[in-house]
Amino acid sequence: MPPMSRAFASAAAALATLTLAACVSSTAAPEPTAAQTPDSITPAAIEAHMRFLASDLLEGREAGTRGYDLAAAYVASQFRQLGLEPAGDKQSYLQEVPLQAHWLVKDGARMAVRAGSRTTRLNMGTQFVVASSPLHTSSMASAPAVFAGYGIDAPAFKMNDYEGLDVNGKVVVVLTGYPSSLPSEEGAHYGSTREKQRTAAAKGAVALVSVYTERFEKVSPWTRNVQNLDAMQMSWIGPDGAPFVVAPPIQATVLMSPADGAALFDGAPRSFADVRAESVKGAPKGFPLAVSIEVAQRSRHERRTSANVAGVLPGSDPALRAEHVVVLGHLDHEGIGAEVNGDRLYNGALDNAAGIAAVLETARAAATSPTRPRRSILFLAVTAEEKGLIGSEYFARNPTVPSGSLVGAVNIDMPILLYDFTDVIAFGAKHSSLEPVVADAAKQIGLTLTPDPMPDEAVFTRSDHYRFVQQGVPAIMLSTGWNTPAGAGEGGKAFGGFLAQHYHKPSDDLNLPIDYNAAAKFTRANYLIARGIADADAKPTWNEGDFFGELFSARK
Ligand SMILES: [Zn+2]
């Protein structure tokens, strides 16, 4: 899963800145026995996949590298062995994703603030950061600045920060994040740099400058945003040959240091301190600023490719087999990077060799079940998740099966398989008819379904399933719960410990005390969820009036 700060970095990226053998008849109820006892999912099988995928040989499986390609070949080989139908390009299991890798050229970044005849130049990396662009090797904007509150236009919440403002051709200055009045998942959507770029462009703006709120400083500290400023970012290239960006008119996307936001408010009706103070509880209204802002970025570009891996297990029901349930996980991780405790190899054992192992064993259980699933199941290992959910977005927008045939998605990303668990969490379930499906699957193997214990993290918006949600497809991502046979909440320590010590570090490797029995149990739960969706009479639906259902069905 990409870290929270990637909300900016990957917006920073955009910134350029959570199934079958004997046929069953379509009328018969699914056989309750064989399909629901997925005994073929074993701890040893999960461990075998993980020992290969997280081995040093694969060098951290970064998208666009040989290590990733080897991992993709492994998954394709497994799909072939299971008899899945190739669902990639040209009768293969691989869907090549054309990518634009882009890097910021640091000494090409410039920013100046003009107030009357006085011009103040700012320093890149200490006072501001600008994102690289996948579209332009160089671009700039120079225009009067307008403060537009949080930069959010959310009709469902009767909130429009642009109301009464003319930002056409202007540089828009917005607060980071979202007001506390918005619920966390909806807030994470509107608070993302990507959504703010899209909104700003729709209103006619030419550049987006974000200034820190106090709340956002805690979530995504400035020091983290200035690390790895010239790290590679990625964008996918569409069938038209152009790198995909959400807001082509935005020429530059900037984050100001917390100390330097005030300069943009010199001479304005209200001070930055004043606006920041109001943002703690409310949503400050916008106003034209007294300054003009000039900002420029320079980027280096390189074309690469990296493949999604896709295979289909055809459904048994003639009336339902044209529909696909997607079971996916990301195959990439962070490759070779900064050294931590003498290790530079980011093996990504839990993130996400574990998830791919679970996808593969879900596929095996489905393919060898005596009762074939009624709907088809598309098994998918996606690339470049760590670069901003790139491979999944490419697939969701350019599917290799008829678009519209995707009826539900089950994502497996970074399961914390370090302890026995007695409950599960299903990010996204509360938005659709998938919640009872998950609860039922959990119950079949003696697990309970617990509400999201960390709603502020907005995991629902942070992993690959969200790219399917954005195409109107109901989706969930399962997580191990925090209850264990040793006591309620005990698992939370191991969960939190992993996030604090090993998440996105070289130590997320096979030296972790991985509980492969827990891994098998977790995989069985995912299998049963996939079967629950595939075998149900009706396809999944968004809950009546659900925010995400309404937003993305409407936007399609
Ligand atoms: Zn990750």
Side-chain angles (χ1 to χ4, degrees):
M1 181 176 352
M4 195 71 146
S5 59
R6 287 258 181 164
F8 196 86
S10 76
L15 197 165
T17 31
L18 313 246
T19 356
L20 324 240
C23 284
V24 285
S25 88
S26 59
T27 49
E31 286 283 336
T33 50
Q36 274 88 351
T37 52
D39 294 332
S40 72
I41 298 172
T42 64
I46 303 280
E47 181 171 357
H49 294 310
M50 286 183 66
R51 282 194 175 276
F52 179 73
L53 293 170
S55 69
D56 285 355
L57 271 178
L58 298 194
E59 298 182 334
R61 307 183 307 279
E62 185 175 33
T65 68
R66 183 168 181 271
Y68 178 89
D69 293 347
L70 290 168
Y74 177 81
V75 173
S77 174
Q78 295 288 319
F79 283 177
R80 184 180 298 278
Q81 191 181 43
L82 295 173
L84 303 189
E85 293 181 353
D89 305 326
K90 301 182 196 129
Q91 289 303 303
S92 79
Y93 292 98
L94 303 182
Q95 180 193 39
E96 291 293 346
V97 181
L99 296 164
Q100 177 88 300
H102 51 103
W103 294 260
L104 188 70
V105 179
K106 277 201 266 191
D107 58 15
R110 285 183 291 110
M111 184 171 180
V113 179
R114 244 181 247 112
S117 59
R118 188 164 50 91
T119 299
T120 311
R121 300 211 165 274
L122 303 178
N123 288 318
M124 167 72 181
T126 56
Q127 296 184 291
F128 77 99
V129 293
V130 62
S132 61
S133 163
L135 269 189
H136 308 293
T137 50
S138 72
S139 57
M140 65 94 68
S142 179
V146 177
F147 173 61
Y150 279 98
I152 292 173
D153 182 3
F157 296 92
K158 298 193 167 41
M159 173 176 181
N160 181 3
D161 286 329
Y162 285 90
E163 199 177 351
L165 296 178
D166 175 9
V167 301
N168 201 28
K170 309 273 172 63
V171 175
V172 168
V173 175
V174 300
L175 297 166
T176 46
Y178 57 93
S180 53
S181 60
L182 293 186
S184 59
E185 289 174 346
E186 289 83 346
H189 165 75
Y190 284 120
S192 68
T193 304
R194 183 176 160 125
E195 186 62 14
K196 290 185 184 188
Q197 290 171 317
R198 211 182 63 82
T199 306
K203 309 289 182 190
V206 294
L208 180 73
V209 176
S210 297
V211 291
Y212 262 100
T213 59
E214 283 172 35
R215 186 176 177 213
F216 202 77
E217 276 187 76
K218 296 185 187 110
V219 180
S220 182
W222 169 252
T223 49
R224 208 194 294 161
N225 278 299
V226 296
Q227 278 167 9
N228 310 318
L229 274 182
D230 44 9
M232 177 177 67
Q233 309 285 347
M234 278 182 169
S235 177
W236 55 270
I237 295 167
D240 60 353
F244 175 79
V245 292
V246 289
I250 298 297
Q251 301 298 311
T253 304
V254 172
L255 178 66
M256 299 293 294
S257 87
D260 291 284
L264 309 183
F265 289 76
D266 279 354
R270 295 181 67 190
S271 72
F272 181 48
D274 199 18
V275 162
R276 243 168 86 104
E278 187 186 345
S279 74
V280 174
K281 288 239 155 56
K285 283 213 174 315
F287 45 82
L289 295 166
V291 300
S292 287
I293 295 175
E294 182 178 319
V295 58
Q297 70 79 30
R298 256 179 48 212
S299 302
R300 182 163 70 82
H301 290 171
E302 210 176 286
R303 295 256 162 149
R304 301 207 173 163
T305 60
S306 186
N308 291 327
V309 192
V312 168
L313 185 67
S316 62
D317 189 322
L320 298 178
R321 71 160 65 110
E323 297 180 349
H324 294 85
V325 179
V326 186
V327 176
L328 76 154
H330 74 88
L331 182 57
D332 69 303
H333 191 54
E334 299 213 302
I336 297 171
E339 188 172 303
V340 182
N341 297 329
D343 190 359
R344 343 180 4 234
L345 216 157
Y346 290 65
N347 302 77
L350 294 187
D351 185 12
N352 186 34
I356 293 296
V359 169
L360 291 173
E361 287 310 299
T362 298
R364 181 186 313 281
T368 58
S369 166
T371 55
R372 215 173 174 86
R374 295 173 68 192
R375 287 184 177 78
S376 297
I377 302 184
L378 189 145
F379 294 96
L380 181 63
V382 294
T383 187
E385 189 265 2
E386 303 287 11
K387 310 298 182 200
L389 321 184
I390 304 292
S392 54
E393 179 161 53
Y394 186 80
F395 189 92
R397 286 175 176 258
N398 306 280
T400 54
V401 296
S403 65
S405 77
L406 305 172
V407 298
V410 178
N411 181 27
I412 312 179
D413 185 6
M414 201 175 83
I416 311 296
L417 305 172
L418 301 175
Y419 57 96
D420 194 10
F421 57 93
T422 59
D423 66 326
V424 287
I425 299 153
F427 299 106
K430 69 177 186 186
H431 298 290
S432 71
S433 62
L434 293 176
E435 187 162 44
V437 177
V438 174
D440 181 61
K443 195 172 156 201
Q444 288 179 53
I445 51 173
L447 299 170
T448 54
L449 177 61
T450 299
D452 183 353
M454 41 185 193
D456 285 349
E457 292 279 318
V459 174
F460 176 57
T461 66
R462 289 172 54 198
S463 185
D464 292 307
H465 54 278
Y466 196 60
R467 295 303 188 215
F468 289 85
V469 169
Q470 288 175 310
Q471 298 305 307
V473 180
I476 62 122
M477 182 173 85
L478 203 68
S479 163
T480 53
W482 295 359
N483 299 331
T484 77
E490 286 298 305
K493 293 172 198 161
F495 202 106
F498 174 82
L499 293 180
Q501 293 165 40
H502 307 294
Y503 169 69
H504 279 209
K505 296 207 171 81
S507 60
D508 175 9
D509 64 17
L510 294 168
N511 293 318
L512 289 171
I514 296 166
D515 181 337
Y516 292 102
N517 289 312
K521 191 199 278 189
F522 183 76
T523 304
R524 286 182 199 119
N526 277 285
Y527 168 73
L528 291 170
I529 293 166
R531 287 294 313 236
I533 304 169
D535 293 338
D537 288 338
K539 65 183 183 185
T541 50
W542 292 100
N543 291 341
E544 188 69 36
D546 181 75
F547 170 77
F548 292 97
E550 305 254 307
L551 181 68
F552 294 125
S553 308
R555 194 178 281 179
K556 267 172 93 174

